[in-house]
Amino acid sequence: GRAPPPSPGAEWGPAAERPGSSLLTRQLQELWRKSRGNLAPQRLLFEVTSASVVSERSSKYVLYTIYLIRSGRFDKAPAAITRRYSDFERLNRRLRCRFGCDMAGIAFPRKRLRRNFTAETIAKRSRAFEQFLSHLHSIAEIRRSPEFLEFFFLQDLRVAQRLTCTGMYREALATWANAYRLQDRLGVCSSGRFLLTLAGLAVCHQELDELGEAHGCCEQALQLLETQGSHPLLGPFLQAHVHLAWKVGKDKRRSEARLQDLREAGPPLQQQPTLKECLIKEPLE
């Protein structure tokens, strides 16, 4: 089949930038995409890029901004999170409950009774948080655990869902896109959360009349759902893909055939929710 358009934040490798070579660019892109799957995982670096003191009515805390950076790659759009000490503390507590042995050798910065807001304490903590996350990420079982993963992107998914439900599509889009990049960096692009993220991107792009981008998100989701006979999002993604393909003048026959198969296999599709309805109903625990 044809290579899909690059997904948001996707980079084609160096091969794609040499159209003068004997292979066609599209074939190179295909090869590059296949080879990416076989490469050893990229080393992920965690960098605290800024820390700011926030004063609320009765409390004062430091908000740390952390970038997730793949070593040896230039990321045009960084994946970023902002977290406070109590967020890290909760993650540390949850992981120690579940992975006691693995966590035994991992240091966590202690709570201080005073001088929490001096430049020196903030700088020390920033380094300690970078090392803490790197250490966690180096242990395969922890790296794949929901506790670790959801520390990074569950908050963004909740905010994006809320913004989408209230019709703030431009703001929602930026938040879905950051959640997409976070999951991409963490290497979890085949989970249910990732499909939900693609649904969010598709819905917001469509609402903002960016139909080509919405179509690209549906293509990517359908590639991930290729091997799944039944998934609650399959019907809604197929219906959205057919509609968008018709609007942007792309081939929709494959999706129509898959929709037909679904119709013959299961309950009537009239009762199927739209992508937007799925998004609104999905409980993000």
Side-chain angles (χ1 to χ4, degrees), residues 204-220:
C204 291
H205 277 307
Q206 188 171 357
E207 294 287 348
L208 293 163
D209 220 27
E210 296 161 354
L211 302 184
E213 287 88 342
H215 176 264
C217 293
C218 291
E219 292 255 278
Q220 199 184 347

Side-chain angles (χ1 to χ4, degrees), residues 9-29:
E11 304 93 350
W12 298 121
E17 287 146 28
R18 293 199 299 273
S21 56
S22 59
L23 272 174
L24 296 169
T25 304
R26 175 153 291 160
Q27 287 173 295
L28 284 167
Q29 290 177 348

Side-chain angles (χ1 to χ4, degrees), residues 106-249:
I106 298 181
F108 187 77
R110 283 201 319 273
K111 190 100 176 150
R112 296 173 64 122
L113 293 172
R114 53 184 210 283
R115 293 177 60 78
N116 274 310
F117 302 103
T118 64
E120 187 191 5
T121 300
I122 291 172
K124 271 188 184 156
R125 271 204 183 152
S126 298
R127 298 296 79 80
F129 287 146
E130 290 173 351
Q131 285 161 358
F132 175 67
L133 292 175
S134 292
H135 205 153
L136 295 177
H137 189 260
S138 70
I139 300 167
E141 219 179 330
I142 291 179
R143 181 171 67 234
R144 291 195 279 264
S145 70
E147 291 89 346
F148 180 74
L149 292 168
E150 295 190 338
F151 168 79
F152 290 96
F153 55 79
L154 190 58
Q155 204 167 304
D156 268 3
L157 292 181
R158 284 181 179 142
V159 170
Q161 186 184 40
R162 203 163 54 240
L163 289 167
T164 308
C165 291
T166 52
M168 298 178 74
Y169 301 113
R170 182 62 64 197
E171 295 84 346
L173 187 61
T175 313
W176 288 119
N178 191 54
Y180 177 106
R181 289 192 293 271
L182 289 166
Q183 291 169 88
D184 177 47
R185 303 296 183 274
L186 292 161
V188 284
C189 289
S190 54
S191 69
R193 300 279 199 219
F194 191 68
L195 284 167
L196 192 72
T197 307
L198 286 171
L201 286 167
V203 165
C204 291
H205 277 307
Q206 188 171 357
E207 294 287 348
L208 293 163
D209 220 27
E210 296 161 354
L211 302 184
E213 287 88 342
H215 176 264
C217 293
C218 291
E219 292 255 278
Q220 199 184 347
L222 290 174
Q223 275 192 321
L224 290 173
L225 289 164
E226 191 73 61
T227 51
Q228 305 206 23
S230 68
H231 185 283
L233 286 172
L234 179 58
F237 265 122
L238 284 169
Q239 286 182 314
H241 187 251
V242 168
H243 172 74
L244 287 160
W246 174 72
K247 288 259 192 187
V248 297

